[in-house]
Amino acid sequence: FDIGTTTVAARLFGTTTGVPLGCAGALNAQTRVADDVVSRIEACGAQGGLKRLQTLVLETMGELAKTCLENAGRSVCDLSGIVVAGNTTMGHLFLGVDPTSMGKSPFTPRFTESRRLDGGELLSQWTGVPVVTLPHVSAFIGGDIAAGLWAADFFACSGVALFMDIGTNGEIVLKTPSGIFAASAAAGPAFEGYGLMCGMRAAAGAVSSIALSGETAECRTIGGAPARGICGSGYVDFLAEGLRHEWLTPMGRFSPKAPAFAVEGKGKCVDLAPSAAGTILISEADIANLLKAKGAIAATLLTLLDKARLTPQSIDHLFLAGGFGRHIDAANAQACGLLPPLPLERIRYLGNAALGGACLYALDSQSVYELSEAVKTIRNVEVNLESTFEDHFIDEMALCPMGAGQ
C-alpha cells in the first residue's frame, strides 16, 4: 500500500515473481475529517479523533485489498504479507500512534523506524498476515519518500542525484559528495488545483495541456472530455506559455497582449475554454498562488544546493516521483522555474515510486535492513532556518528559470 494524504493505492503481486496480480486505488476516507496533514494532526487532539482516523484509513485499505484479491481470484487466506509506505503522519495514523508531537516545533515524530506486527492488530481479516511499515526520515520526509528512493536505486547513484515529489509538501532529497540532504517545501496545494478558481485534481475533463497562440489557447483535457477545470500540469504549461508569448510579465501579471478582462470580485482573468464548454478561468490571484508554490519548491532546492556548494547545473540525475511529476511537461516546468535547468535526458519519471518501492522492499528480504540503514545517512534540513532561504524564495517568486534571479 501507498497511503497518500488524499488517495490510497494498492498493488497485489506474486511474492516469487513480482508479477502484478491486481491494482486498486481510492480516496483516503480520512478526507471526511480533514483534507490536509496538519488538520488531521489537530483532529487527533479531540476525544476519539486518533481512533476515528485510524479506522477510516483501515477501512479504505481493507476494501482495496478485497478488490485486488477478488479481481485476481484470490482470498485473504492467500496473503503472505502486507507492506505499507506513507508519509510520516499517515504512518502514525495507520498504526494508531498519536502524531500530535509533529504538529508543533520541533516537529518530532513518535517513531521513524520500520515496524512489524500481525495484521490482526489492525483488521480482523488480516489476522496471521505480517504487516511491515517502511522507515521514515523525519516528520516531513516519510516512508513514501524512502520507498521512492529505493525504487530509483537512489543511494547507489553516481554523481549528484536529485529526487523530487511535488505535492502539497514538495519533498526533495539531494545526494552530493558532501552527503545526502532532504527537506520538505511548504508549497501548499496550488499545483493540485486547490484554492484556484477552476482548479481540480487530474481527472476526466481536467485541462492537462495548454498551448497559446496569439490571443487563443489550445487546451487538451484528460480523456478528451469537455473541459471542467484545470489540473497541475495545465497550470505549469500556462505559466511557461504565458511568459513565452508575453501574456504574462515576469512578476505574474497579465500584460496588454493577454485577452484579459475583469471579473467582479476576482480581478483580471483570462478564459481558456472553448465557448461550448463554458468558462475555464485563470486569474492573477491564481497565478500569485502558483508562483508562491513554485517559489517555495525552487527556494528549497536552491537552499539544499547551497549546503553542498553546488548549482542546479551540477545535478546529474533528476528523479520525478508522483502523479504530478509523471504528467508535467519538463521543458515548461523548467521555463517557469519549477524544475532545475538540466538537459532533459537527465530527467527520469518514476510515477508512483512509493508503491513501486514498497513492492521491491517486499520482494527482497535484505532490503528491510539495507533501507533502514540507508535512510539514517540522510540529513534533514529545516530550510526556513537557513540564511539563504528567504532570499531564494523572494527571487523565485518571479517567472524565470530556477536560479536566474540570483
Side-chain angles (χ1 to χ4, degrees), residues 16-29:
T16 56
T17 64
V19 174
L21 303 175
C23 294
L27 187 70
N28 187 335

Side-chain angles (χ1 to χ4, degrees), residues 70-87:
E70 289 180 348
N71 289 345
R74 307 297 178 94
S75 72
V76 71
C77 298
D78 297 316
L79 273 181
S80 58
I82 294 172
V83 176
V84 177
N87 67 49

Side-chain angles (χ1 to χ4, degrees), residues 176-237:
T176 78
S178 304
I180 304 177
F181 304 94
S184 178
F191 282 114
E192 295 175 327
Y194 290 96
L196 308 181
M197 283 185 69
C198 293
M200 63 179 288
R201 294 178 57 219
V207 174
S208 58
S209 174
I210 297 172
L212 303 183
S213 177
E215 292 191 355
T216 63
E218 179 183 344
C219 300
R220 293 183 180 179
T221 63
I222 294 175
R228 297 192 295 119
I230 311 170
C231 66
S233 59
Y235 282 115
V236 169
D237 283 356

Side-chain angles (χ1 to χ4, degrees), residues 269-290:
C269 301
V270 295
D271 185 1
L272 302 180
S275 57
T279 54
I280 302 296
L281 302 178
I282 296 180
S283 69
E284 285 187 336
D286 290 342
I287 296 166
N289 283 330
L290 291 164

Side-chain angles (χ1 to χ4, degrees), residues 385-402:
L385 301 180
E386 297 293 322
S387 59
T388 60
F389 176 77
E390 186 174 351
D391 287 341
H392 284 315
F393 182 62
I394 293 170
D395 291 338
E396 297 303 317
M397 286 277 285
L399 270 174
C400 59
M402 187 181 295

Side-chain angles (χ1 to χ4, degrees), residues 250-336:
M251 298 313 296
R253 299 288 186 178
F254 289 124
S255 77
K257 290 190 175 183
F261 55 92
V263 175
E264 186 176 354
K266 302 295 183 181
K268 284 187 176 181
C269 301
V270 295
D271 185 1
L272 302 180
S275 57
T279 54
I280 302 296
L281 302 178
I282 296 180
S283 69
E284 285 187 336
D286 290 342
I287 296 166
N289 283 330
L290 291 164
L291 290 182
K292 287 178 185 176
K294 188 274 291 190
I297 292 166
T300 298
L301 172 54
L302 290 170
T303 302
L304 293 185
L305 287 166
D306 289 341
K307 299 288 288 184
R309 299 183 179 180
L310 297 172
T311 66
Q313 292 75 17
S314 306
I315 298 166
D316 299 302
H317 312 279
L318 169 55
F319 299 97
L320 282 179
F324 177 59
R326 182 177 58 192
H327 292 107
I328 60 173
D329 181 297
N332 282 342
Q334 290 177 326
C336 70

Side-chain angles (χ1 to χ4, degrees), residues 1 33-34 40 52 89 98 137 168 196 204 219 249-250 277 279 281 315 360 364 366:
F1 290 101
V33 176
R40 288 182 207 174
R52 184 186 180 200
T89 300
D98 183 3
V137 177
T168 302
L196 308 181
C219 300
T249 70
T279 54
L281 302 178
I315 298 166
L360 291 174
D364 181 0
Q366 290 299 311

